Amino acid sequence: MAGRIARALEAGLLIRPGERRRVALMSLYAANAIGAVVIGHSVRDALYLSNRPARGLAGMYIWSSIAIVLVSWFYARIADRLPRGLLNAASAIGCAALGAALWAILTVTDAVWVYAALYIFVEAMGSLVVIQFWTLANDVFHAREAKRLFGLIGGGGTLANVIFGLLVGRYAQVIGAQNLLLVMVAQLAICAGLAQAGSRTAAAGALVLRSRPVRKAPVISRAGLTFLSNKHLTIVALIGAVSAAAVTIVDFQFKLSAAAVLDQNDLAGYFGRFYGICGGVALAVQIWVTGRLLERYGILASLLPLPLGLALGSGASAASATPGLFVSSLAKGSDTIFRYTINDASMQLLYVPVAPHVRGRAKAFIDGVLKPTSVAFAGAVLLFYKQSGGRGRPLTAAVLVLVGTWVWLLTRARGEYVRSLVESLERRRLDLSSSQFSRLNEGTMRALRTALGGEPATVLHALTLVRQLAQEADFTPELRSLLRHQDAAVRASALEQLGELRRPGPLIDMRGLLRDPVAEVRAAALGAVCAIEQEAAVATVLPFLDVRTAPEAVVRAAATVALIRHAGIDGVLAAAEPLKQLLGAEDPRDRAAAADALGRIGVSGFFRPLLAFLRDPDITVRRTAIAAAGKLRAPELIAALVEQFERRETALEAASALAAFGPGIEHALEVILLDEASHVDCRRGVALVLQRLATRVAADALVSALICREQAVRKAAARSLARLARRQRGVRIEAVRVERAVHVELAAARTALSVFKTLPLPAAGHAPRTAAELLGMALLEERDARLLQALVLLEVLLPQVRVDVVAENLRSESAAARGNAIEVLDNALPEPWKRQVMANLEETKRRGDQVPPDARPVAELVSALIGGECGPWVAACAARWALDAPVPLGRLLPALEAGLYAASAPLREAAARAVARAAPAEASRLLAPLAGDPAPSVSRTVRALLDRSAPRASA
């Protein structure tokens, strides 16, 4: 029964499991908040228009706006400093108390100021309550949920519009307009409790890291409006200002028309009936149109009905020579129907990409300060216009101009909405290793010279940038001063750069560092001195070849390199024997120094010793040999370097060394990449190297790997190809083959999802506890993996869509991050890719796009899974599930027997268990070959099964 109700809610109201409580609480909150606003507006309008002259209405717009600005300014200062639920509850209780006080005053006096105070209070209360409700709703729901559910949640407010509007219309004359204020007070009190309850359902997940802005406009910063530097929020703010002005003019026209023909209680009754009828239409729109319109046609189509309705209604009133109350109400009716339904739900979506610590202040400013200011300005213009004896048609022209501006801003807002969603998913990282300066200016020089006097880590980084600028500026004085730096790494780096520049000026200081207590500094000094003095430095360097003078291998190796590189034939002859001793040394430190020396010498013919060092048992020797191989670039070293990908600790060094070879090695790497017999880690590492080479030949090799049998290789090739395409836009990639690979991945994802829908498997929201839950999770993970692979490849075809950021967040544990990622896909992917991707995510907009259950018989389906249709892990889970499944094991026996010889150890183990139960008489014969399986889990399981079957066989 519960499952049937859940399916009905999802089909009819788009409510998914786990969302019902949140939707119910926020819908009730909306109903009471909007109900309080509707009753307040009806009562205050009736009382004011009956007891005050109509010409004062424009002034009320101004004073109300001032009050809203003050309240919202104060609220914005504390909106993101206090818990959202507590703040909303306290505000609602405070408003209820003020409402009760005004009711009490009205019972004892009808002073003029009371009606003005009530008018201003209701306007400020309505603005604050609605702002707080939608701000909390943005905390409770992420972008995808918001797009689907905000229409339904807003339906609570629309329902309140209907019910309380009709109640006001029916009982205004019975109990009196002012006594209806008590209903408003009660609803505000209910809002307080619902705000607390709703805040407890908000995702307690993500900790928001606030990044410090690089620069802020001082005036904006002091006003607390730094968020306006965000282009997306600036457009949202402009939409709010323009729409508020247009709605104010329409409201003014409507109220003047009503006040001209109705008295106090009739006004209250008419307003109640008007809001009730419009609310009934709005309720239907809210429940059955808003969510579907948002999901199917997107945010722009959902934001257009309100401005277009205002334009049509106002235009119809102006076109009629003597418009009656009905015609004058058309534009206001569009406002009432669309503003609190489609428009409000869609506008709230524009705040979803905004960081939570900014959202409260931004919303409070836009809705509570900017909009009222716009209303006040419009009110001032209307006041002047009315006192000047103006008529209605110029007001209609003003509405049409504002609507045109409004629509233009909406078209801009959609693009910024998608861009902001992407930014909310991104985590930018600064790649210092790729820092390049295309031009040198005074600011750069000043910054670098300041950095060279900073902390050691800052100095070392600055020295890497100085090396890039060595041909454009002279940093010799700074480098010379660093020779006396207290940090040894800084002294060594400064020596290396002075040696590369061959600047003789600091030679005396450099010679002094030949006696430095740190071996690495002495080694750097030897290289620098020899680079400057050349053959003349032989006598200085020769003593450092002796182990008694230089017991550290790094110093002896540096002396050898310096003589061979800079001291001519005499240096080579003097260094030959010491180098040979280092190459054959037993101490790994000596061998590492020898490998480093070979790399520094840079003669490709010296590759043979490196082949041995690349297989050295010592990790330091291997790492040093890898770096040296990258400097020698001998083709004979490629295979040995690729072998280093088998070890995690040397994989990245091997990739860097191979990439240093540069173009020309692509064909050798492609052979390894496409060889199904090669080690998987080696093939993945080769894909990384091809990405770094970033040539047309490298791209072709990666495209060829997209159809490999091994999933890990396909994944590595796809990621490398996507990064290559993103960083090297000029590289031509064969799009047809990439599209074919995308279709293959999407079809595999569709298969996994359809199988999941066919088999009786639960979708566990926790760690799997049963074989059925494990298989269900495995199928969904296979679907996700295939879909992510397709998205990575789509990044190659659609570089303008930030699919890389989306793909990273689709598997996020945060529901908000996943929802925002799906929302980006829905808005950014073109057809037909969008329809296929969203179908696999079960985010379809049309029933025909949904992935249907697999039509094959269950036994055939399970056999296909065990045979590897959805990958080896799903196969293993399916074989294990078969033990408990309502499927005769005998019908699965051929697939299970084949699984005994699969490459996957988990599949072999699960198949052995199933075979032992399916064919106990044949178990000994079938399982005996696996008793010595290389996987301990398989051999242990098989021996236990054979031990159990032995007594039965003897019996």
Side-chain angles (χ1 to χ4, degrees), residues 697-783:
V697 180
D700 288 342
L702 290 171
V703 171
S704 298
L706 297 177
I707 56 173
C708 289
R709 289 199 307 268
E710 185 62 49
Q711 182 177 356
V713 177
R714 292 199 311 272
K715 180 178 178 181
R719 290 189 177 278
S720 295
L721 184 65
R723 289 169 183 159
L724 187 155
R726 184 166 67 246
R727 295 170 184 172
Q728 298 291 332
R729 300 283 185 179
V731 175
R732 193 163 156 266
I733 296 172
E734 196 172 346
V736 174
R737 295 169 68 193
V738 177
E739 285 184 10
R740 194 179 304 133
V742 175
H743 284 297
V744 169
E745 298 296 338
L746 289 174
R750 193 178 183 90
T751 298
L753 182 57
S754 65
V755 170
F756 175 81
K757 290 183 173 183
T758 299
L759 298 178
L761 301 173
H766 49 74
R769 302 188 183 97
T770 65
E773 290 181 353
L774 182 62
L775 178 57
M777 180 175 288
L779 283 167
L780 292 180
E781 286 181 346
E782 173 71 9
R783 184 273 310 263

Side-chain angles (χ1 to χ4, degrees), residues 159 202 280 548 634:
L159 183 62
R548 291 169 295 182

Side-chain angles (χ1 to χ4, degrees), residues 278-300:
C278 290
V281 177
L283 181 61
V285 170
Q286 189 79 331
I287 293 178
W288 289 292
V289 176
T290 300
R292 287 168 174 80
L293 185 64
L294 272 169
E295 254 199 320
R296 181 165 297 187
Y297 299 107
I299 197 167
L300 178 60

Side-chain angles (χ1 to χ4, degrees), residues 55-100:
R55 64 176 179 273
L57 187 60
M60 284 297 97
Y61 290 138
I62 299 173
W63 289 110
S64 297
S65 299
I66 293 173
I68 293 173
V69 167
L70 293 175
V71 170
S72 299
W73 177 84
F74 177 74
Y75 171 69
R77 308 298 294 180
I78 61 174
D80 297 310
R81 300 179 184 178
L82 296 175
R84 198 86 74 197
L86 178 63
L87 184 58
N88 286 18
S91 300
I93 291 296
C95 289
L98 283 174

